[in-house]
Amino acid sequence: AELKPEEQIQYRQAGYAFMAWNMGKIKANLDGNYSQPQVQAAAETIRAIANSGMGALYGPGTDQNIGDVKTRVKPSMFTEREEVGRLAMNFINAANELAEVAALGDEAEVKSAFGAVGKSCKACHDQFRAD
Ligand code: ASC
């Protein structure tokens, strides 16, 4: 069964929100006492969501608010498919790399890989998210 457009918007927002929570946990670890298991768990969660095929949640009708379900996505996200694909691949690659280094426990490498993930998030916000 196909998801309704408003359900697709809610699921994709849930995915981004859950990744943001886990990004915050990694940031807190880098800023304070570093717990390698906590960072690894957070990075593995981000990797799993990044690889979950969220592109399927940008179907027809998901380009605009639907009643109380609001979206900040720009219309260009649905036309500039090559650029979206490039940004999505960069993000997935960065998330995979973060999970790899988080498992090894070198904090400096995690810091660098975490920064790359954040940059790949921001690159898509800058181009395809309003506000
Ligand atoms: C986060 C978060 C984002 C990205 C972005 C990186 O932790 O919630 O949307 O990182 O701020 O620039």
Side-chain angles (χ1 to χ4, degrees), residues 34-42:
Y34 191 83
S35 162
Q36 190 275 330
Q38 186 175 111
V39 170
Q40 182 174 349

Side-chain angles (χ1 to χ4, degrees), residues 1-82:
E2 296 259 311
L3 290 175
K4 293 175 188 163
E6 56 268 43
E7 291 173 326
Q8 294 178 44
I9 292 170
Q10 288 174 319
Y11 276 125
R12 76 197 185 201
Q13 290 175 345
Y16 296 129
F18 206 67
M19 288 195 285
W21 179 51
N22 282 280
M23 288 291 280
K25 284 191 277 181
I26 296 172
K27 174 86 166 65
N29 272 274
L30 291 169
D31 289 347
N33 273 354
Y34 191 83
S35 162
Q36 190 275 330
Q38 186 175 111
V39 170
Q40 182 174 349
E44 285 173 353
T45 300
I46 292 164
R47 173 170 60 183
I49 298 171
N51 285 279
S52 69
M54 288 183 66
L57 300 174
Y58 288 84
T62 69
D63 57 335
Q64 56 190 311
N65 298 339
I66 303 170
D68 288 342
V69 179
K70 313 281 191 199
T71 176
R72 285 183 287 173
V73 73
K74 288 182 180 172
S76 53
M77 180 119 177
F78 297 82
T79 54
E80 295 176 24
R81 300 187 54 170
E82 201 172 317

